[in-house]
Amino acid sequence: MDSFAPMPLIGVTLDQEPGGQGQYSAFPWYALRANYMGAVIKAGGLPVALPYAPCLTSKILDRLDGLIVTGGAFDIDPALYGAERNEATTTLKPGRTAAEMALLEAAMERGMPVLGICGGMQLLAAALDGSLIQDIASEQPDALPHEQPNPRDQAGHIVSIEPYSLLGKIVGRGTMAVNSSHHQAVRDPGRGRVSARAEDGVIEAIEDPSARFCVGVQWHPEFLIDPGDLALFTAFVEAAQNATVSGDGVW
């Protein structure tokens, strides 16, 4: 990356809690683990937190060079991929999903570099006309424990990476050790392409083959467990940097 070029501005989506007695605030508040921002900084980007403001989507993206859609302890509304909700296993955050989908679809339309993480990958699948497994344990009882019992800053399983995918080129290896914190998964990537799977066949990464950089991973690379995690963040930030320097983006 050119040391004299301005650091690319990377928008990072937030979670939101309703607030209440005994919480951080009695009123609604945004939340995000610090290591999301730390990983962007380590990769050479300048992260900025994004509010829930669908009406300002265009103005927000006008200022950004790349978008990261983060994960969280909630699920994507099955209505987005034409399915009926399993209320026993599916927890929604409609405000967050609406704000993130507005940002994601507009960023993809502009050709802006996009990285979807965990729930962000699942939202990307929906944006690509794909679909999700609403509960892995219910539909694939012989699957790995994708909500790993060990700490999230440790690996939970191995993923196999398609060698000719963008992810494969970035990582430069056929496997990665990743953490795992999800009970849903991509069933069908739609217009996307599968670029990694777990040992049990569960889809662990997808990408839009028509985009310069549009990648989703089911694990949380911000913990930087495997060397491939930092390589992914670095490639994403470089894609944002290159678009900024060349001026060939639509935004």
Side-chain angles (χ1 to χ4, degrees), residues 26-45:
F27 303 97
W29 47 281
Y30 289 126
L32 187 73
R33 267 187 287 99
N35 59 358
Y36 278 106
M37 301 299 197
V40 172
I41 293 169
K42 191 174 181 65

Side-chain angles (χ1 to χ4, degrees), residues 42-223:
K42 191 174 181 65
L46 183 61
V48 60
L50 303 180
Y52 297 176
C55 61
L56 295 177
T57 294
S58 181
K59 292 184 181 299
I60 290 170
L61 293 180
D62 284 346
R63 303 290 187 91
L64 300 180
D65 302 305
L67 174 68
I68 294 178
V69 182
T70 64
F74 75 108
D75 303 308
I76 306 304
D77 189 344
L80 291 176
Y81 48 91
E84 298 233 349
R85 177 187 173 193
N86 182 342
E87 295 189 12
T89 62
T90 306
T91 302
L92 305 183
K93 286 192 173 182
R96 174 174 178 175
T97 297
E100 288 186 324
M101 184 61 96
L103 287 165
L104 176 58
E105 290 184 330
M108 292 169 67
E109 185 176 346
R110 292 172 178 232
M112 180 179 288
V114 168
L115 176 59
I117 294 175
C118 198
M121 165 176 144
Q122 294 170 4
L123 190 66
L124 175 60
L128 289 168
D129 301 321
S131 62
L132 304 181
I133 296 170
Q134 288 193 50
D135 186 60
I136 297 171
S138 300
E139 295 197 36
Q140 296 183 213
D142 58 344
L144 294 168
H146 286 273
E147 293 184 284
Q148 68 184 53
N150 53 313
R152 298 298 190 257
D153 61 352
Q154 300 174 10
H157 62 76
I158 301 296
V159 298
S160 296
I161 302 169
E162 292 294 330
Y164 299 108
S165 65
L166 176 58
L167 180 64
K169 293 174 183 175
I170 290 169
V171 174
R173 290 180 287 119
T175 62
M176 283 181 64
V178 304
N179 54 18
S180 193
S181 179
H182 62 106
H183 80 103
Q184 297 197 333
V186 173
R187 182 191 304 278
D188 173 10
R191 292 179 285 108
R193 177 172 59 195
V194 175
S195 49
R197 290 182 183 270
E199 298 151 289
D200 57 6
V202 168
I203 295 173
E204 289 282 332
I206 63 172
E207 54 195 54
D208 181 355
S210 69
R212 173 172 42 199
F213 194 110
C214 185
V215 175
V217 295
Q218 188 61 75
W219 64 92
H220 282 272
E222 69 275 12
F223 281 95

